[in-house]
Amino acid sequence: MLATLIYRSQPTGAFDPSGLAELVGKAWLQNVQLQVTGILLFDGEHFLQVLEGPLASVNTVFARINHDTRHHNVVELLRDFAPHRRFANHGMLLLDLQKQRPAAVLRAILRFGTLKYQLASNDRVYKFIRHFIASSGHTAGVRHTAPDQWRFVVKTPPFLTGAAPDSADQPCQFAFQPIIEPQREKISSLEALIRGPGGGSPQEYFSTIAPEKLHEADLASKGWALAMARRLGIGNHKVAINLLPMSLVKIPGAVDILLDHITRNHLRPGQIIVEVTEDEVISGYEEFTWAIRQLRAAGIGLAIDDFGSGFAGLSLLAKFQPDKLKIDRTLVTDIHLHGPKQAIVKAIIECCAELQIAVVAEGVEKIEEWCWLEAVGIQRFQGFLFARPMLNGVSPVSWPQRVIK
Ligand code: C2E
Ligand code: MN
Ligand code: MN
């Protein structure tokens, strides 16, 4: 199958502009052996390259490109399949925008067509090229700080770092994970994540519950979560708890039960954030709406969890505007390398800014991911990079600090 890949990157100090033509010549020879064809555009600040060929060959060439130290910030923009090559006659053709006028480059590209494939101005790859040329001179990418400008300082938060469960025979336990604002060195909330009596995962724990008891157990477990939060000495900090939406729908008086857990543990409703995901089973939207109104009326916060995964959360967002929206890990992972994820996350941020919804990035594991997300304006983060969940406790937090050189 004929694969197409487009990426964008920036030259590093190791790149010698005068050697560009030679570099492309070498690439041509290597590509021909692998049956890879394509074009390379350079505007002095960014590269845009189109690669076409058998999927395995394109992957091989792209892996090699990724390791080339003469450029960095390599962001994949498009991966697609096509019936014919667009640039069949070119092992690798260089288009230097510093030497040719944009209009001439675009005209030339349209003439590259072969008898088999005549490139048209509505071709998607052509449109990527046109967009690159049009935005040349502006930053095609996000200007983020380099990972080596940061070091991590580990600090223990002012909570208990590990406690015994409340009672030896409690049905479940909770692990707590901080959601932080690195720029302010502030813990914005602690998420309570359910664990089995032996420390097993949420999935493991819920699999031991009879299906008809699932929602009851989910709601009841929040009593244990909040009791532990209190024992950890969370003071005025906020606690986020996860609930299946149907736990608020199916259990009569669910919100009152929750409020009871809150007051019994000497917490305020305003300290609690309920995280819900849009899962398939929200069958009673009317009852769910009613439960959400009660939560809001009591002063409890609401977050949409796992936004952008599976059931995307979009219809939930259209119906309820939560205080917080948590961008799912599937969008966060390797965002610094991936154009489509970047475009989606930028749109989410814009939408949330318009609706005054706070955004949290979940599952941040790499410093590069954090640098990119921070640069587009996200302030709240949760992930192993900063702190892992800790059973019956809160682990120390690794705070990024700018290295002064
Ligand atoms: P979630 O609410 O999205 O919670 C975040 C999950 O991501 C947690 O997994 C956490 O350990 C994990 N995580 C956090 N940072 C990272 C990271 O940097 N990398 C990776 N790979 N993972 C990270 P956990 O504790 O296994 O929870 C899984 C899911 O189980 C939760 O996802 C939530 O949907 C559900 N869950 C947890 N507690 C409850 C609960 O009390 N009730 C209900 N209904 N669901 C719960
Ligand atoms: Mn959650
Ligand atoms: Mn989540």
Side-chain angles (χ1 to χ4, degrees):
M1 224 183 320
L2 188 65
T4 309
L5 188 147
I6 306 181
Y7 76 86
R8 181 183 70 214
S9 68
Q10 288 174 283
T12 58
F15 171 71
D16 169 16
S18 66
L20 185 58
E22 191 190 325
L23 186 156
V24 171
K26 272 193 193 144
W28 183 309
L29 293 176
Q30 287 177 335
N31 291 354
V32 162
Q33 288 167 1
L34 286 161
Q35 296 178 294
V36 170
T37 49
I39 62 170
L40 175 72
L41 283 95
F42 182 56
D43 69 359
E45 264 191 69
H46 292 92
F47 295 105
L48 183 87
Q49 188 164 31
V50 180
L51 299 167
E52 295 180 308
L55 180 58
S57 302
V58 168
N59 284 340
T60 305
V61 171
F62 190 50
R64 195 159 63 206
I65 286 170
N66 258 307
H67 282 110
D68 195 324
T69 55
R70 288 169 295 189
H71 69 166
H72 66 160
N73 292 339
V74 180
V75 177
E76 189 181 306
L77 298 177
L78 172 103
R79 251 176 205 274
D80 200 5
F81 294 90
H84 305 292
R85 287 172 194 266
R86 294 168 177 88
F87 306 107
N89 297 333
H90 304 283
M92 188 47 59
L93 187 83
L94 172 66
L95 294 159
D96 192 339
L97 291 157
Q98 299 170 109
K99 293 186 178 150
Q100 289 165 275
R101 283 187 307 111
V105 170
L106 286 171
R107 263 200 313 276
I109 288 171
L110 283 177
R111 281 199 302 270
F112 287 161
T114 55
L115 279 182
K116 245 185 169 174
Y117 195 85
Q118 186 56 53
L119 201 66
S121 56
N122 65 356
D123 177 85
R124 183 134 171 251
V125 169
Y126 177 74
K127 288 200 258 181
F128 263 101
I129 295 168
R130 203 170 52 195
H131 180 71
F132 175 78
I133 293 177
S135 57
S136 174
H138 322 289
T139 36
V142 167
R143 275 198 200 283
H144 46 87
T145 55
D148 65 2
Q149 291 177 9
W150 301 92
R151 68 191 171 111
F152 284 89
V153 178
V154 181
K155 293 186 184 171
T156 306
F159 318 115
L160 273 188
T161 47
D166 282 287
S167 91
D169 57 355
Q170 71 184 63
C172 60
Q173 311 181 75
F174 280 84
F176 291 80
Q177 186 182 29
I179 296 167
I180 65 160
E181 289 178 55
Q183 295 296 355
R184 299 170 62 193
E185 210 177 286
K186 186 186 157 199
I187 292 180
S188 68
S189 56
L190 299 170
E191 178 169 8
L193 299 156
I194 204 162
R195 298 289 181 262
S201 69
Q203 210 188 356
E204 243 177 274
Y205 170 69
F206 284 120
S207 71
T208 65
I209 310 280
E212 68 278 9
K213 294 264 188 240
L214 181 67
H215 300 102
E216 196 185 321
D218 188 25
L219 190 64
S221 72
K222 302 300 131 28
W224 298 105
L226 298 181
M228 183 49 78
R230 180 191 177 195
R231 285 185 51 207
L232 297 177
I234 62 154
N236 283 321
H237 282 82
K238 293 188 174 190
V239 190
I241 52 178
N242 295 278
L243 275 175
L244 291 165
M246 291 307 279
S247 302
L248 291 170
V249 173
K250 278 196 179 165
I251 310 298
V255 175
D256 288 331
I257 295 173
L258 198 57
L259 279 169
D260 190 46
H261 289 316
I262 295 169
T263 43
R264 250 190 304 130
N265 289 297
H266 306 281
L267 297 165
R268 289 174 292 105
Q271 280 180 277
I272 311 299
I273 300 150
V274 171
E275 297 191 1
V276 290
T277 50
E278 174 166 344
D279 69 332
E280 205 174 12
V281 295
I282 306 190
S283 45
Y285 251 117
E286 227 160 85
E287 289 99 323
F288 185 63
T289 309
W290 171 237
I292 295 299
R293 282 189 196 153
Q294 283 181 289
L295 282 182
R296 310 295 297 145
I300 296 173
L302 182 69
I304 295 183
D305 204 350
D306 299 347
F307 194 82
S309 87
F311 301 95
L314 269 181
S315 54
L316 204 56
L317 182 58
K319 287 196 173 77
F320 316 98
Q321 289 72 55
D323 306 277
K324 218 188 236 184
L325 185 148
K326 301 182 78 179
I327 300 179
D328 192 62
R329 183 162 65 92
T330 49
L331 285 173
V332 166
T333 303
D334 286 336
I335 190 151
H336 57 295
L337 306 175
H338 202 269
K341 288 183 188 182
Q342 295 181 355
I344 295 167
V345 167
K346 280 193 216 163
I348 295 174
I349 292 168
E350 203 175 310
C351 168
C352 288
E354 203 164 315
L355 300 173
Q356 297 300 316
I357 297 171
V359 177
V360 178
E362 284 195 293
V364 182
E365 293 184 355
K366 298 185 186 128
I367 186 164
E368 291 86 351
E369 294 162 351
W370 171 67
C371 286
W372 193 90
L373 292 161
E374 179 99 35
V376 290
I378 295 186
Q379 291 166 4
R380 296 176 175 81
F381 299 88
Q382 180 177 11
F384 295 172
L385 178 65
F386 306 104
R388 287 180 177 256
M390 180 187 257
L391 188 63
N392 302 315
V394 183
S395 80
V397 178
S398 298
W399 298 100
Q401 286 185 355
R402 196 99 186 225
V403 180
I404 300 157
K405 280 187 179 159

